Amino acid sequence: MSCVALIIYNTTNSIAEQYKDQLSVEVFLNVDYVKVSEEWGKDESFRIPTLTDDLIQKLAASPYLKKSVYSVQMEAIADELKFTEPIDYQDTEMQRAGEEPAITRKPQYILSGYEDVSQSKDFQSQKARLVDGTYPTADNECLISDTLAMLNGLKPGSTFQAKSIYYTDKQGKPLESMTLKVSGIYHREYDANEFESDDEIFTRYQLLTDSRYTYEPTFQAAFYLADPNDLDQFAQSAYAAGLSEYYSLSTDSVAYSAFVKPVEQMGVISLIFLCVVLVLGAAVLLILSSLVVRERKYEIGVLRAMGMKKSKIAVQFALESVFIMTICLVIGIALGDLLAQPITNIMLSNRMSQVMNGPSLTGGMGGYSFGGLATENTPITNINAALNLKTIAQLVGIALGLTGVAGAVSVISIMKYEPMRILRERN
């Protein structure tokens, strides 16, 4: 059983450390609507400060982050393309909060720009997947849906013109058209309650931040801490970098702990079990060693009477112990390797069921939510409890240590006996 406990302990410790390294904790930028409502009461033209490219770049450079995924979106038109829905070429009037009305075109699709398109939630959650070509690497490259490609006969390498729905920028300067080159084609899976659409085109972040083409695009960002305990430090650096006081920051540290702790607890349980087994095993081994020496007192007396030195008798007993230990160790390792995986599965199932069946943890699209907080992390559902060289070396060390202690007890007992006294007290 010590072999099983040691395998589980080493495996769970390794998995927990690896999982911590891989995990990240999303930071949520929440609008403080109490402050916003107070400001609206003073000034009806007040507009909630939005994220800007400059602010996002400063926040993304924080040393407390494991990674950051930021994007920019703009509504656009491409009159030369066909869409599944009829195209409306008429102008319309649009007004953003705090701005004067502007004449724009009705949008035909959404342009979404990412530093790395493959890191977008659609592709990370496997809702969208690349079916042809490659992800955009140049600023003018894009990914289009397979529906849009089929309607227009587009393929990787094809180009088309795209333009913002706005005619001019805020300074009244005409916005230019973009020439987009298709680098790849994606397919999206839709849920039963979702409306199928071909109106999202993915491109590079840098293209949509170019003032020649865009009219104040919408920025979005997801920041992930390496350690949930760094939230306060990250918040301080974020406000110092220019984040508005109308935003507050929070994390999903509860979910982070919920996913890691079951594995850590398995390691603690297996360590406690290992210690108990070793203590009991050592006690039993010492008792058996003493009994064996007492049972073989006559043999020891005869050998001593024949002139054999105590040291040779002690070595003989030690070699016998090593031989028995080797046989038991091989059998124990074999049985431990067979039993470790089933026992690990049972322990993991019990620990995770307490988390997964709890009242506040549920599976969600692309992740899980715990206590109302969303997380990109997914719980550990399988641990491969395999026997490795480290565990074998530890088992050999433990066996040699116990054998050494038992052998020492035997040697001490042997040294106490005088041959003539042993033979006189045979009966």
Side-chain angles (χ1 to χ4, degrees):
M1 294 308 292
S2 60
C3 178
V4 174
L6 195 56
I7 291 174
I8 295 175
Y9 174 72
N10 286 336
T11 304
T12 52
N13 270 4
S14 175
I15 291 291
E17 291 303 317
Q18 292 176 15
Y19 202 60
K20 285 179 180 179
D21 290 339
Q22 294 170 2
L23 284 180
S24 52
V25 185
E26 184 172 3
V27 178
F28 298 94
L29 301 180
N30 309 303
V31 176
D32 189 336
Y33 286 104
V34 175
K35 290 184 178 179
V36 170
S37 61
E38 292 176 353
E39 196 63 36
W40 271 335
K42 301 175 184 176
D43 182 5
E44 293 184 357
S45 64
F46 172 75
R47 184 181 177 187
I48 300 175
T50 58
L51 295 177
T52 63
D53 177 49
D54 181 59
L55 177 58
I56 289 175
Q57 299 299 330
K58 289 180 180 178
L59 297 182
S62 172
Y64 302 108
L65 294 181
K66 186 178 185 66
K67 69 172 184 177
S68 57
V69 179
Y70 44 90
S71 63
V72 57
Q73 289 185 329
M74 63 172 278
E75 296 174 312
I77 57 174
D79 290 337
E80 64 185 271
L81 296 184
K82 299 176 184 177
F83 295 87
T84 52
E85 294 295 319
I87 298 176
D88 189 344
Y89 297 96
Q90 296 182 356
D91 290 339
T92 185
E93 187 177 77
M94 184 176 295
Q95 183 177 16
R96 291 188 176 186
E99 295 183 5
E100 294 295 325
I103 302 299
T104 69
R105 286 283 303 278
K106 289 186 177 180
Q108 297 168 355
Y109 62 92
I110 300 295
L111 266 178
S112 298
Y114 290 85
E115 279 284 337
D116 182 356
V117 174
S118 66
Q119 294 300 307
S120 70
K121 287 190 176 181
D122 289 319
F123 289 96
Q124 287 292 300
S125 65
Q126 303 296 314
K127 288 199 66 179
R129 56 186 174 86
L130 188 67
V131 294
D132 191 14
T134 61
Y135 290 104
T137 54
D139 289 349
N140 68 327
E141 291 183 340
C142 68
L143 280 184
I144 62 173
S145 68
D146 49 2
T147 305
L148 190 61
M150 187 182 301
L151 283 173
N152 296 275
L154 298 175
K155 59 183 180 181
S158 300
T159 61
F160 62 92
Q161 295 292 310
K163 192 176 184 298
S164 169
I165 62 171
Y166 286 87
Y167 288 103
T168 63
D169 62 17
K170 284 190 171 183
Q171 287 70 41
K173 183 179 178 180
L175 293 173
E176 300 178 20
S177 295
M178 298 172 280
T179 300
L180 295 177
K181 180 182 178 181
V182 178
S183 67
I185 298 171
Y186 72 90
H187 173 75
R188 187 195 298 272
E189 297 290 342
Y190 293 92
D191 296 332
N193 58 345
E194 287 185 307
F195 176 72
E196 294 190 17
S197 175
D198 59 352
D199 63 356
E200 185 167 17
I201 297 176
F202 295 92
T203 186
R204 296 274 292 172
Y205 179 88
Q206 288 81 357
L207 179 67
L208 302 188
T209 56
D210 193 326
S211 60
R212 294 177 297 169
Y213 309 122
T214 60
Y215 178 97
E216 197 174 87
T218 303
F219 292 93
Q220 296 178 341
F223 303 106
Y224 299 92
L225 292 172
D227 187 340
N229 296 322
D230 290 336
L231 176 63
D232 291 339
Q233 293 92 324
F234 176 71
Q236 291 176 7
S237 64
Y239 290 125
L243 182 66
S244 171
E245 63 177 349
Y246 296 101
Y247 289 93
S248 61
L249 284 71
S250 62
T251 66
D252 62 345
S253 57
V254 177
Y256 178 94
S257 299
F259 294 152
V260 174
K261 280 188 176 179
V263 180
E264 291 180 331
Q265 289 170 351
M266 284 179 61
V268 172
I269 292 172
S270 60
L271 180 60
I272 293 173
F273 182 70
L274 175 63
C275 293
V276 171
V277 170
L278 290 179
V279 170
L280 294 178
V284 171
L285 192 59
L286 292 176
I287 293 172
L288 290 176
S289 296
S290 299
L291 292 176
V292 167
V293 172
R294 291 184 62 184
E295 288 295 323
R296 298 176 65 181
K297 277 199 308 182
Y298 181 70
E299 178 184 346
I300 296 171
V302 172
L303 293 174
R304 290 282 292 116
M306 292 173 60
M308 184 176 287
K309 295 181 179 180
K310 291 181 180 181
S311 59
K312 287 189 176 181
I313 298 175
V315 170
Q316 178 181 329
F317 271 74
L319 290 175
E320 289 177 3
S321 298
V322 171
F323 179 73
I324 295 172
M325 178 272 292
T326 303
I327 296 175
C328 294
L329 181 62
V330 172
I331 296 174
I333 288 176
L335 289 176
D337 193 26
L338 291 175
L339 296 175
Q341 190 63 56
I343 294 176
T344 299
N345 293 340
I346 294 172
M347 292 178 66
L348 181 62
S349 177
N350 289 337
R351 301 308 307 171
M352 292 307 298
S353 64
Q354 296 179 17
V355 175
M356 298 302 293
N357 295 330
S360 55
L361 182 61
T362 57
M365 186 181 301
Y368 286 78
S369 63
F370 192 98
L373 298 177
T375 172
E376 65 158 11
N377 306 323
T378 54
I380 300 172
T381 57
N382 180 61
I383 293 178
N384 183 22
L387 183 66
N388 53 37
L389 292 177
K390 177 183 176 181
T391 303
I392 293 176
Q394 290 173 334
L395 287 170
V396 171
I398 291 172
L400 289 174
L402 292 177
T403 303
V405 173
V409 172
S410 300
V411 169
I412 292 173
S413 300
I414 291 170
M415 295 298 181
K416 291 192 307 180
Y417 296 128
E418 294 297 330
M420 299 308 298
R421 181 181 177 184
I422 294 174
L423 294 175
R424 284 198 306 268
E425 297 177 355
R426 177 182 178 184
N427 296 326

